[in-house]
Amino acid sequence: MNICVYGASSAKLEAVYYEKTEELGRAMGKRGHGLVFGGGATGMMGAAARGVAEENGYIIGIAPRFFDQPGVLFENCTEFIFTETMRERKKLLEEKSDATVVAPGGIGTYEEFFEILTLKSLNRIDRPIVLYNINGYYDKMKALLEHTVEEKFMEPSVMSLIAFLNKPDEILDYIEHYKNH
């Protein structure tokens, strides 16, 4: 199964975020799952790719051509696809993967998460979506979504479309045992 991992590209984060994301990548590789990601060499993206690469797993990097600068892209991808735009990239990230894991990130990661959640809530896709809640990073996101339900801006059933998990084995168990909704 190919798993898309979204996440920050920043190289300025606390070490635990990189360590836990590399751990997820290693677990994915050990279990035979491929990585589909935004192609970055740094941040959560690079950490996931390094972990999968350590286990000789399959890695598909997808990035717009304007990111093709020294040190920006992960060089050990099994396959690399260049796009012209960020929108093309997102479309291919979705199409080339069977599940989505959202590692900690900023506005780009949030935007990717909310788009994939929206598509799932509209029954346009059906795939497991996990927020990788390292150090409780997504606790406030969960609280915001629960508040959105409480205020009736979102149906309560939307909360069942995602999982907030913080251990790589739990994440992969959830993905592997996912039943279509």
Side-chain angles (χ1 to χ4, degrees):
M1 178 181 310
N2 284 335
I3 301 171
C4 179
V5 176
Y6 295 133
S9 62
S10 176
K12 300 175 185 175
L13 308 173
E14 295 291 326
V16 66
Y17 293 109
Y18 306 119
E19 291 163 7
K20 291 293 191 180
T21 305
E22 275 190 47
E23 183 183 334
L24 173 64
R26 282 191 299 275
M28 286 170 57
K30 283 179 185 166
R31 291 197 191 193
H33 298 297
L35 170 66
V36 179
F37 78 122
T42 59
M44 302 295 94
M45 288 189 285
R50 286 190 301 276
V52 173
E54 279 181 39
E55 297 297 327
N56 299 309
Y58 196 84
I59 303 171
I60 302 173
I62 303 172
R65 191 156 300 282
F66 63 83
F67 280 176
D68 194 8
Q69 305 289 325
V72 172
L73 300 176
F74 188 74
E75 295 181 1
N76 296 318
C77 293
T78 312
E79 178 183 351
F80 208 101
I81 301 168
F82 284 104
T83 64
E84 293 306 313
T85 67
M86 294 292 278
R87 285 188 176 143
E88 288 176 68
R89 176 200 209 187
K90 279 195 314 181
K91 183 175 187 279
L92 286 172
L93 288 167
E94 175 197 328
E95 289 174 356
K96 298 270 184 194
S97 62
D98 309 295
T100 300
V101 174
V102 185
I107 59 171
T109 303
Y110 297 161
E111 190 268 338
E112 291 163 331
F113 162 65
F114 280 114
E115 180 172 339
I116 210 87
L117 176 59
T118 300
L119 289 171
K120 187 172 180 178
S121 73
L122 295 171
N123 295 313
R124 306 315 305 158
I125 60 170
D126 189 16
R127 64 173 52 219
I129 301 172
V130 177
L131 285 103
Y132 190 11
N133 200 20
I134 300 168
N135 268 10
Y137 183 81
Y138 283 118
D139 288 350
K140 290 182 178 171
M141 175 80 74
K142 185 176 184 184
L144 173 64
L145 292 171
E146 289 169 343
H147 174 71
T148 304
V149 169
E150 289 166 13
E151 293 293 322
K152 297 178 180 41
F153 286 94
M154 184 171 80
E155 291 296 320
S157 61
V158 173
M159 292 302 291
S160 70
L161 302 179
I162 54 177
F164 291 82
L165 302 170
N166 61 14
K167 293 183 175 71
D169 285 334
E170 288 177 353
I171 291 169
L172 295 177
D173 288 346
Y174 175 81
I175 289 170
E176 290 167 2
H177 297 102
Y178 177 79
K179 302 284 189 255
N180 292 357
H181 282 83

